[in-house]
C-alpha cells in the first residue's frame, strides 16, 4: 500500500476530519436493536455467559473442597492459581489470533465462492445465448451434446457442495495442532515442575499443604491437552461468529464436573485428587463435544500439510505472548507488593481485585463480538460496517461500565461483610471501593478495545503499547506503594487501566495503522 492510498476504495461516509469522532458515530442508537446491535448482542451474550460459567463451577468446586478442611482448601487455591496462570500465558495469544485469522479466512473463502458462482452464472447465460442463436442451424445431436455438459456439470457440483457442506479453513487446522501441542508441553512441564512451582508460590517443603497441592496439580495437568485444544476450538467458533456452541460445550462440561465432584471426593473418598479427576474428565468431554461439532463444519486437515500457517501464528502469537506476560506481571507485582504490607491489606486487596476482574467478563463478551465482526468486515473492506461496529461496541462497553460502576460500588460498600468479618479488612475495602467502582467504565472500554484492535489484526501495536504501559505501571506501583501503601497501589492500578484505554484508542483517534481509511486512505491486508 502506498502512503496516499487508493481514495476511491474508501467510502466518503467514513472519512472523518478528526478520526476520533468515529467513536461517537450514531451515539443516540446505542440501545437500538438494529442489525448491527442484534449481531453484536447475539454473540456477546453467549460469550459472556461462557466466560462466567467456569468461575461459577470453580466456586462450587471450592465449596466441596472446603468441607474437607482448611489444608485441602489452601492446596486447591494455590494449585488452581498455578494451573490457570500457566494456561492463560500459554493459550491466550493463540486463541486471540485464531479468532481473527479464522474470521478473515472464512470471509475470503466465501467471497471467492460468491465470485466463482457469479462467473458460473455468466458462463451458463453465455452458453444459453449461443445455444439459442444456433438453433435451427446446428443438428439436434450437436445441440444435445453441447447442452449436456453445461446442464450436468452445474447441478452435480452444486449437489456436491451441498452434500459436503464443509469449509477448508487452514487457520483452523493450524490452531488445533498448536493448541494440542502446547497442551502436551504444558502437561509435561507442570507434572515435572509442580513441586518447584508450589515452592515459588510459598508452599514450604514441610507444609501440610504440599502433598494435596502436588497431587491436585499433577492430576489436573493431565487435562492440559484437552483444555488448550478446546480453547483453540472456541477461538475457531468465535471466528465463525458462533459463540453458542462453545457455551453449550462449557455448560455441559461444568455440569459433568459438578455431578462427579461429590462422587469422587466423598463417595470414593479420593479427596482433593477426586476433584482433580472430575475436572479432567469434564475437560475431555468438552473437547469431544467441540471436536464433533467442528468436524461437521470444517475439513480439519487440509490436503497439503504445507498449507498450514504456523509462521503466521507464531509471529502474531509471539507478540501477544509478550503482551500477556506484561499484563500478568503488572497484576502479580501489585499483589506481591500488597502482600508485604501485611495480611489485612492483602486480604482486602484480594477481595477488591477479584470483584474488579470478575466484572470484566461481561465486557469480554462485547470484545469477542467486536473482534469477529471487525475481522470479517476488514477482510471485506466494508469500512462502513467497521466504523458502525467499532463505535457501537465501544459505546455499549462504556454504558455497561457505568452500570457496573453503580452495581459494584453499592454492592461492595454495603456487602463487604459477605467476604470478611474482620473490621480492619472491611475498612480497607471501603477505601478501595471508589477505585474499584469508578474505574469500571474505563475497564470496560479498555477490554472492548482489546477486541477491536485484535479484530483489526493490529497485534504488533497492541503488544508494544502494552509493554510500554507495563513499564510505567511497574514504576507507579513501586513508587505509590512506598508512600501511600494500600491506597497507592489502587492509584497505580487506576493509572494502569487509564493508560491501557488511552493506548487502545490511540490508533483509531489518530487514524493510523489499520485505521488509515478514516483519513481517506485505504489499508492493505497486512
Amino acid at each position: 500500500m502506498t502512503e496516499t492510498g487508493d481514495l476511491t476504495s474508501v467510502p466518503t461516509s467514513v472519512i472523518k476530519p478528526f478520526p476520533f469522532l468515529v467513536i461517537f458515530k450514531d451515539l443516540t442508537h446505542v440501545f437500538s436493536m438494529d442489525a448491527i446491535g442484534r449481531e453484536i448482542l447475539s454473540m456477546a451474550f453467549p460469550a459472556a455467559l461462557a466466560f462466567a460459567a467456569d468461575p461459577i463451577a470453580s466456586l462450587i468446586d471450592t465449596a466441596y473442597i472446603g468441607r474437607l478442611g482448611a489444608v485441602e482448601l489452601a492446596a486447591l487455591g494455590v494449585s488452581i492459581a498455578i494451573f490457570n496462570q500457566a494456561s492463560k500465558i500459554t493459550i491466550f495469544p493463540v486463541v486471540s489470533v485464531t479468532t481473527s485469522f479464522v474470521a478473515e479466512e472464512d470471509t475470503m473463502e466465501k467471497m471467492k465462492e460468491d465470485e466463482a458462482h457469479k462467473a458460473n452464472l455468466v458462463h451458463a447465460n453465455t452458453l444459453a445465448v449461443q445455444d439459442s442463436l444456433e438453433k435451427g442451424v446446428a443438428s439436434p445431436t450437436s445441440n444435445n451434446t453441447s447442452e449436456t455438459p453445461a446442464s450436468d456439470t452445474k447441478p452435480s457440483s452444486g449437489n456436491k457442495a451441498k452434500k459436503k457442506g464443509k469449509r477448508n479453513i487452514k487457520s483452523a487446522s493450524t490452531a488445533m495442532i498448536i493448541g494440542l501441542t502446547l497442551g502436551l508441553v504444558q502437561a509435561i512441564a507442570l507434572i515435572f515442575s509442580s513441586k518447584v512451582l508450589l515452592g515459588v508460590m510459598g508452599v514450604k517443603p514441610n507444609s501440610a499443604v504440599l502433598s494435596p497441592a502436588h497431587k491436585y496439580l499433577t492430576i489436573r495437568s493431565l487435562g492440559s491437552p484437552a483444555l488448550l485444544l478446546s480453547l483453540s476450538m472456541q477461538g475457531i467458533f468465535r471466528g465463525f461468529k458462533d459463540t453458542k456452541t462453545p457455551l453449550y460445550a462449557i455448560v455441559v462440561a461444568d455440569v459433568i464436573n459438578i455431578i462427579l465432584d461429590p462422587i469422587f471426593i466423598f463417595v470414593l473418598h479420593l479427596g482433593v485428587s477426586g476433584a482433580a479427576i472430575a475436572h479432567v474428565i469434564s475437560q475431555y468431554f468438552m473437547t469431544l463435544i467441540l471436536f464433533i461439532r467442528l468436524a461437521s463444519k470444517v475439513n480439519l486437515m487440509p490436503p497439503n500439510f504445507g498449507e498450514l500457517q504456523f509462521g503466521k501464528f507464531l509471529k502474531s502469537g509471539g507478540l501477544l505472548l509478550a503482551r500477556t506476560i506484561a499484563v500478568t506481571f503488572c497484576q502479580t507485582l501489585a499483589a506481591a507488593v500488597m502482600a508485604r504490607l501485611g495480611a489485612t491489606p492483602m486480604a482486602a486487596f484480594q477481595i477488591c481485585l477479584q470483584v474488579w476482574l470478575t466484572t470484566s467478563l461481561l465486557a469480554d463478551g462485547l470484545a469477542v463480538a467486536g473482534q469477529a465482526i471487525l475481522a470479517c468486515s476488514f477482510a471485506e473492506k466494508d469500512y462502513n460496517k467497521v466504523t458502525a461496529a467499532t463505535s457501537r461496541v465501544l459505546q455499549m462497553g462504556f454504558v455497561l461500565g457505568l452500570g457496573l460502576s453503580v452495581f459494584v460500588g453499592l454492592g461492595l460498600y454495603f456487602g463487604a461483610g459477605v467476604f470478611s468479618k474482620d473490621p480492619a479488612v472491611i475498612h480497607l475495602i471501603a477505601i478501595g471501593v471508589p477505585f474499584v467502582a469508578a474505574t469500571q467504565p474505563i475497564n470496560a472500554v479498555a477490554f472492548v478495545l482489546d477486541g477491536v484492535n485484535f479484530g483489526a489484526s493490529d497485534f504488533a501495536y497492541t503488544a508494544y503499547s502494552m509493554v510500554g504501559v507495563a513499564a510505567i505501571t511497574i514504576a507507579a506501583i513501586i513508587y505509590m506503594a512506598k508512600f501511600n501503601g494500600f491506597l497507592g497501589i489502587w492509584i497505580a492500578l487506576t493509572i494502569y487501566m487509564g493508560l491501557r484505554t488511552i493506548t487502545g484508542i490511540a490508533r483509531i483517534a489518530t487514524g493510523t495503522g489499520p485505521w488509515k481509511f478514516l483519513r481517506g486512505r485505504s489499508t492493505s491486508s497486512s
Side-chain angles (χ1 to χ4, degrees), residues 462-490:
T462 55
Y464 296 142
S465 62
M466 181 54 66
V467 171
V469 168
I472 296 173
T473 303
I474 291 168
I477 290 173
I478 296 172
Y479 178 82
M480 298 300 293
K482 183 177 180 180
F483 295 102
N484 297 284
F486 181 87
L487 182 63
I489 292 179
W490 275 109

Side-chain angles (χ1 to χ4, degrees), residues 360-376:
S360 71
L361 296 175
L362 295 174
D364 282 339
L366 287 173
V368 167
Q371 179 181 3
I373 294 171
L374 287 179
C376 293

Side-chain angles (χ1 to χ4, degrees), residues 76-120:
L76 178 74
V78 69
S79 299
I80 288 178
I82 293 173
F83 184 85
N84 288 348
Q85 200 75 299
S87 299
K88 180 180 179 181
I89 293 175
T90 304
I91 198 61
F92 175 80
V94 177
V95 174
S96 297
V97 299
T98 295
T99 299
S100 294
F101 290 166
V102 169
E104 291 171 2
E105 186 177 352
D106 186 42
T107 300
M108 296 301 292
E109 289 296 321
K110 288 178 180 177
M111 291 171 65
K112 288 179 181 177
E113 289 175 4
D114 289 342
E115 291 175 0
H117 180 63
K118 290 177 182 178
N120 288 335

